[in-house]
Amino acid sequence: MQGLVVNDIVKKYGEKTVVNHLSFSMEKPGVYALLGTNGAGKTTSIRIILGMLLSDSGEVTFNGKPLDVGTVNVGYMAEERGLYPKATVMDQMLYFASLKKVPKKEAAKRIREWAEKLGLTEYFYPPKTVKNKKPKAFRAEQLSKGNQQKVQLMATLISDPDIIVLDEPLSGLDPVNTNLFRDVIREVSKQDKYIIMSSHQMATIEEFCTDLTILNRGETVLSGNLNEIKRSYGRVNLLIKSDDNIDSYIEKNNLNVIEKTPGEIKIKLDNEEQASMLLKQLVADGVSIVKFELTEPSLHEIFVEKVGEVHEEI
């Protein structure tokens, strides 16, 4: 099979199974989400996919051959951040590019482009001053956490990889840098790349990913196309906004209110017929209705339903 295929991966540590028969495939470029709480087995799965860990059984293939990061261009942004603190960011980026066999002239060009795109130009190319006519690029330890994260994203993408793995890429970023990272991911996702993303920010997953797998204690609890999964639940969320008090209608119909603010009420339905019945009652009694919206459950709601607990990461 063409594309990226993870087939029946199993990993045990002693008697503990941390990944139990994980399978999924990306037959064409796109963004695939691998989700789970801490301890679900995501990081172990990613390390196996990248060949950093050996599985006890199963295989990972790319375009019909075992995935070998020595021959397939892969970029990996690990959840555990880390740069060489005393080395300049320029030296590190040239080094990372050389590991991926990017010619030095091409690497310099890409570094300049990415530095401008990520707002890092002053750290890679500090301006000359009267006292310092040959300034050195900044060392990693001189950068803020957010800027270090940008440098690591640059290191992940500098070789123009075919397969990209982003493990919690937005973790700890401020809103401005979060938007910047999302813009970069959006741009890269349009370039025929195979991207695996793991994130606890479900809104980001919904924005980028068409297919997903949710893990819980090493087990696959949900897998498939996100839109199809949401449709299978039906439109069971009802959002109501009214100028009148409708508490008595909610109580009479024994509806489950899951969130109530001064401006809006969110109700979890058993089926869409409950919404129709409520709407008929409100209209018949002349109740002012500002908003009456049925929606599918969010990925966050589906995730919590399937997983629930939080465990220690493995």
Side-chain angles (χ1 to χ4, degrees):
M1 180 185 291
Q2 295 297 298
L4 179 64
V5 179
V6 177
N7 183 33
D8 205 28
I9 293 297
V10 175
K11 181 65 178 178
K12 296 181 179 180
Y13 290 110
E15 297 298 317
K16 185 177 179 61
T17 301
V18 295
V19 180
N20 194 21
H21 300 286
L22 171 65
S23 294
F24 67 87
S25 64
M26 298 179 66
E27 297 180 11
K28 59 183 180 179
V31 186
Y32 196 100
L34 189 60
L35 308 177
T37 59
N38 294 333
K42 304 187 308 297
T43 299
T44 299
S45 299
I46 288 171
R47 289 171 179 168
I48 290 171
I49 292 169
L50 295 175
M52 299 167 66
L53 281 177
L54 293 176
S55 62
D56 296 312
S57 62
E59 64 175 353
V60 181
T61 62
F62 185 62
N63 291 337
K65 299 178 181 179
L67 177 58
D68 180 357
V69 297
T71 58
V72 178
N73 192 352
V74 176
Y76 175 39
M77 185 174 181
E79 181 179 10
E80 300 84 4
R81 312 299 185 216
L83 295 169
Y84 300 105
K86 300 297 182 181
T88 68
V89 288
M90 177 63 83
D91 286 345
Q92 293 188 64
M93 201 56 52
L94 289 170
Y95 172 66
F96 293 143
S98 70
L99 291 178
K100 293 290 188 177
K101 298 181 172 54
V102 180
K104 192 169 183 179
K105 187 176 180 180
E106 178 63 23
K109 176 185 174 184
R110 294 182 188 181
I111 290 170
R112 171 73 70 172
E113 291 173 349
W114 277 112
E116 292 175 358
K117 190 173 297 185
L118 294 171
L120 295 171
T121 303
E122 64 181 296
Y123 303 106
F124 280 86
Y125 310 97
K128 296 178 182 179
T129 63
V130 175
K131 293 183 179 179
N132 192 358
K133 295 183 179 181
K134 293 184 178 180
K136 285 187 175 182
F138 281 65
R139 298 188 305 274
E141 65 182 359
Q142 295 176 285
L143 272 60
S144 67
K145 181 179 178 182
N147 282 330
Q148 288 187 39
Q149 205 155 323
K150 290 182 188 178
V151 172
Q152 292 196 192
L153 180 62
M154 185 191 299
T156 302
L157 302 175
I158 193 68
S159 66
D160 191 23
D162 299 308
I163 299 174
I164 301 168
V165 178
L166 303 173
D167 194 357
E168 296 294 346
L170 307 181
S171 175
L173 292 175
D174 61 49
V176 173
N177 282 326
T178 294
N179 286 337
L180 176 62
F181 268 52
R182 290 171 68 176
D183 288 343
V184 170
I185 295 170
R186 190 179 296 111
E187 178 183 333
V188 172
S189 67
K190 296 176 182 178
Q191 300 173 3
D192 291 335
K193 309 293 186 183
Y194 292 82
I195 304 173
I196 297 176
M197 184 188 300
S198 177
S199 176
H200 287 117
Q201 299 190 26
M202 296 298 156
T204 299
I205 294 297
E206 289 197 74
E207 177 181 356
F208 292 111
C209 302
T210 55
D211 298 274
L212 58 79
T213 290
I214 297 178
L215 299 174
N216 187 29
R217 295 182 180 270
E219 302 282 350
T220 299
V221 295
L222 188 65
S223 186
N225 180 272
L226 178 55
N227 286 333
E228 291 177 2
I229 290 170
K230 293 177 74 171
R231 278 198 298 268
S232 71
Y233 278 80
R235 294 183 297 170
V236 292
N237 285 341
L238 174 60
L239 302 176
I240 305 177
K241 184 175 182 180
S242 174
D243 292 332
D244 300 319
N245 188 315
I246 61 171
D247 289 348
S248 60
Y249 293 90
I250 293 173
E251 293 173 5
K252 181 170 63 176
N253 288 276
N254 197 28
L255 298 176
N256 179 23
V257 176
I258 55 176
E259 186 178 339
K260 187 174 183 179
T261 66
E264 192 171 85
I265 299 174
K266 185 174 183 179
I267 296 171
K268 188 76 169 181
L269 302 171
D270 295 325
N271 51 65
E272 293 182 29
E273 286 71 25
Q274 288 180 306
S276 298
M277 184 177 297
L278 175 62
L279 181 59
K280 288 178 181 178
Q281 293 171 2
L282 296 175
V283 171
D285 291 347
V287 175
S288 171
I289 302 172
V290 178
K291 181 178 183 179
F292 194 96
E293 181 182 0
L294 274 172
T295 65
E296 297 167 341
S298 66
L299 178 56
H300 175 83
E301 292 173 286
I302 294 172
F303 182 87
V304 171
E305 176 193 305
K306 292 294 181 180
V307 176
E309 302 175 37
V310 176
H311 313 291
E312 183 181 353
E313 180 64 274
I314 294 174

